[in-house]
């Protein structure tokens, strides 16, 4: 079994174990996620860096705390495990583009026969350019606000645990511009590398959530 699967499956089993009567009153949800991110391509000095679409697994949690008119307000948390995709530089495959994040946010959810959600997240992201052979890994961390949306269906059962399935999409509200100008010192070169990595960060995300409410 792959390491990431060994991490995700126990977490979902733990969520099921915690579905006690007290927890049920709190209206929690836990889900396994699988998404595809679309990184940006950038030309720098004058080489083009082109990461491929990045697919990865993660976990998503929510607590339904308040009622806002016809909508419920959820507090959300999510974890995306590190995932890699091919990285082409100047048209040649040279390594991997890596992306991962932790997210905290809030989401309003309506229930007109299906579950419709719209929310905001603060994502604490890490991206990296990893060479296939010898060489230095370029990495960067950044925090960005993301707009999120989802449509899903909860399968009503007689028990406390309600399975659900949802399609989700997310869009960053900010982005970093590519570096400009040649570096004249080591410090400037490192700063340009970090800025370049940030500028390649995902511009869109779409995914699938499979989980339970309890």
């Amino acid at each position: 079994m792959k390491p990431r699967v060994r991490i995700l499956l126990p977490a979902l089993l733990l969520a099921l174990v915690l579905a006690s009567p007290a927890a049920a009153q709190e209206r929690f949800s836990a889900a396994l996620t699988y998404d595809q991110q679309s990184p940006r391509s950038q030309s720098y000095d004058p080489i083009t860096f082109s990461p491929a679409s990045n697919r990865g697994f993660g976990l998503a949690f929510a607590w339904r705390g308040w009622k806002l008119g016809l909508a419920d307000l959820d507090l959300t948390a999510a974890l995306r495990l590190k995932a890699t995709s091919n990285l082409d530089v100047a048209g040649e495959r040279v390594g991997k583009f890596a992306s991962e994040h932790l997210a905290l946010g809030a989401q309003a959810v309506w229930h007109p026969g299906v579950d419709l959600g719209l929310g905001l997240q603060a994502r604490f992201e890490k991206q990296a350019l990893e060479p296939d052979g010898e060489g230095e890994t370029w990495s960067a961390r950044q925090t960005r606000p993301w707009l999120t949306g989802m449509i899903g269906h909860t399968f009503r059962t007689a028990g406390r645990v309600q399975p659900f399935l949802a399609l989700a999409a997310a869009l960053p509200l900010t982005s970093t511009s590519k570096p400009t100008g040649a570096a004249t010192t080591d410090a400037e070169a490192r700063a340009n590398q970090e800025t370049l990595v940030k500028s390649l960060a995902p511009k869109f995300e779409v995914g699938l959530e499979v989980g339970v409410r309890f």
Side-chain angles (χ1 to χ4, degrees), residues 33 35 37 59-62 74-80 100-108 117-125 142-150 168-174 205 209:
T33 65
D35 65 56
Q37 295 183 340
L59 294 170
F61 304 94
D74 293 356
L75 298 182
T76 62
L79 170 69
R80 187 185 200 256
E100 58 188 294
H101 69 252
L102 174 68
L104 298 174
Q107 177 177 241
L118 183 66
L120 285 172
Q121 287 182 342
R123 289 195 179 184
F124 307 93
E125 305 175 53
Q142 59 183 322
T143 302
R144 296 193 293 168
W146 284 65
L147 179 67
T148 64
M150 72 87 175
L171 181 73
L173 300 179
T174 63
E205 177 185 284
E209 298 181 2

Side-chain angles (χ1 to χ4, degrees), residues 44-110:
Y44 173 61
D45 197 27
I47 302 171
T48 299
F49 291 75
S50 300
S53 295
N54 190 287
R55 300 177 179 88
F57 288 94
L59 294 170
F61 304 94
W63 174 64
R64 185 152 294 167
W66 297 276
K67 194 78 174 176
L68 295 177
L70 298 178
D72 295 314
L73 181 62
D74 293 356
L75 298 182
T76 62
L79 170 69
R80 187 185 200 256
L81 301 177
K82 178 182 176 181
T84 61
S85 56
N86 291 328
L87 172 67
D88 290 351
V89 176
E92 295 185 6
R93 186 71 42 80
V94 299
K96 299 293 184 181
F97 173 81
S99 181
E100 58 188 294
H101 69 252
L102 174 68
L104 298 174
Q107 177 177 241
V109 183
W110 294 264

